[in-house]
Amino acid sequence: MAYCLKLQPPLGHHFKAVSTNSKKSKEIFKFKIRSCAVEPENAHKLVVEVKKKLEKEHNTLPVGKNGRDDEEMILWFLKDRNFSVEDAVSKLNKAIRWRHEVGVSELSEESVKSVAETGKAYVHDFLDIYGRPVLIVEASKHFPGKHERVEDEKLSAFLIEKALSKLPAGKQEILGIIDLRGFRTKNIDIKFLTFACYYPRRLGRVLFVEAPFVFKPVWQLFKPLLKSSSSLVRFCSVETIREEYFAEDTVPASFGG
């Protein structure tokens, strides 16, 4: 499993980034390093082992695509768990049950329409300059309790699935942008943020845009829950979004495109 080191600005104020040409090359460098996780020679054997354990210990789980016998899905979770069979089985059990309970395979534009109309999350029409589909969340429009939690999870799952369906050939990760302009304490929802663990290694980068001071304690609570995935987070400005992640004609409208 590959790792990268990253310096982050201190929390406690708005996070501004000075744009330079070298930053683009640094982002590409980090992106490539993280994307080159090394698989052990017995990777397929481990996939089969996980599949057998799921069948033996969790035989009520569904089968088929994204089920307990989906070898591609199993491999993703093994990579995420550093090829630990026990850890992968545990996480897969939770993820597959969650997918079944939420009904991920049956979700549609119509089924998530009422929550989607809030405008709090959507998939951007264009890829970023690294060829990644883009999922944008406007945190100031999310109000815990306004909708049933399962409805929020359905919208999130639908949008992630939609973003993944837009992956170009050879690409495996998406870009998440969390717009924190206008964020207030009433928008805090730690549990809502953590469901992304059901999609391991699918987020290549998560950008927290214009994080206000009030977000500092939220991040302090949220970061330990992400564990190693917290290294994917970058605090940045609107200017950074415009200059380092999109071509001039593909910048999201909410960022001045």
Side-chain angles (χ1 to χ4, degrees):
M1 193 170 183
Y3 297 89
C4 69
L5 296 176
K6 186 172 81 69
L7 295 177
Q8 293 183 164
L11 288 153
H13 50 72
H14 285 273
F15 299 84
K16 301 294 181 181
V18 178
S19 178
T20 64
N21 290 333
S22 63
K23 283 191 175 181
K24 287 189 177 182
S25 58
K26 287 179 182 178
E27 176 72 17
I28 294 172
F29 178 70
K30 288 180 198 172
F31 177 63
K32 287 183 176 178
I33 284 185
R34 186 178 181 275
S35 300
C36 63
V38 179
E39 294 183 17
E41 293 183 0
N42 64 338
H44 181 68
K45 180 180 178 181
L46 295 175
V47 169
V48 173
E49 186 176 346
V50 169
K51 188 162 63 171
K52 288 181 177 179
K53 285 183 72 66
L54 285 171
E55 181 180 11
K56 179 180 179 181
E57 301 172 10
H58 307 285
N59 59 8
T60 59
L61 292 175
V63 295
K65 184 172 176 58
N66 295 314
R68 60 177 168 80
D69 61 345
D70 185 333
E71 294 192 358
E72 183 179 356
M73 184 181 186
I74 290 173
L75 181 58
W76 273 108
F77 278 77
L78 274 169
K79 289 179 180 178
D80 181 60
R81 298 291 87 189
N82 202 23
F83 290 92
S84 165
V85 170
E86 292 298 331
D87 288 350
V89 168
S90 175
K91 198 165 184 179
L92 275 162
N93 176 43
K94 294 176 183 177
I96 296 172
R97 289 188 187 281
W98 173 81
R99 294 183 65 91
H100 181 66
E101 291 168 1
V102 173
V104 174
S105 61
E106 285 82 42
L107 294 176
S108 65
E109 296 277 359
E110 186 62 30
S111 67
V112 300
K113 183 178 179 180
S114 62
V115 186
E117 286 178 342
T118 63
K120 62 183 174 183
Y122 56 93
V123 175
H124 186 43
D125 292 335
F126 301 98
L127 306 177
D128 73 354
I129 63 172
Y130 306 105
R132 297 174 296 196
V134 182
L135 174 58
I136 299 175
V137 176
E138 296 188 16
S140 65
K141 295 181 179 180
H142 176 61
F143 300 98
K146 185 174 182 179
H147 296 91
E148 294 291 333
R149 179 169 300 281
V150 68
E151 297 305 315
D152 282 327
E153 291 189 3
K154 285 181 179 180
L155 174 64
S156 300
F158 174 76
L159 292 177
I160 290 181
E161 295 286 335
K162 182 178 180 179
L164 292 175
S165 73
K166 293 165 67 74
L167 283 168
K171 299 293 183 179
Q172 299 177 323
E173 299 174 327
I174 66 178
L175 171 68
I177 300 179
I178 314 298
D179 187 349
L180 292 167
R181 290 174 295 176
F183 179 87
R184 299 289 184 269
T185 54
K186 61 185 177 182
N187 304 123
I188 297 174
D189 191 353
I190 297 295
K191 290 183 179 180
F192 176 66
L193 294 172
T194 58
F195 93 100
C197 66
Y198 298 129
Y199 292 91
R201 302 183 64 82
R202 286 304 200 177
L203 285 168
R205 171 71 79 190
V206 179
L207 304 176
F208 285 175
V209 185
E210 304 288 0
F213 178 78
V214 70
F215 187 71
K216 179 179 179 180
V218 179
W219 176 241
Q220 290 175 335
L221 288 171
F222 182 39
K223 186 176 180 179
L225 300 177
L226 291 177
K227 299 180 181 179
S228 62
S229 295
S230 64
S231 65
L232 302 178
V233 171
R234 179 185 181 187
F235 289 90
C236 67
S237 66
V238 170
E239 181 183 9
T240 300
I241 295 291
R242 292 174 57 85
E243 297 185 359
E244 297 184 24
Y245 289 90
F246 295 95
E248 186 175 351
D249 58 347
T250 63
V251 175
S254 58
F255 299 115

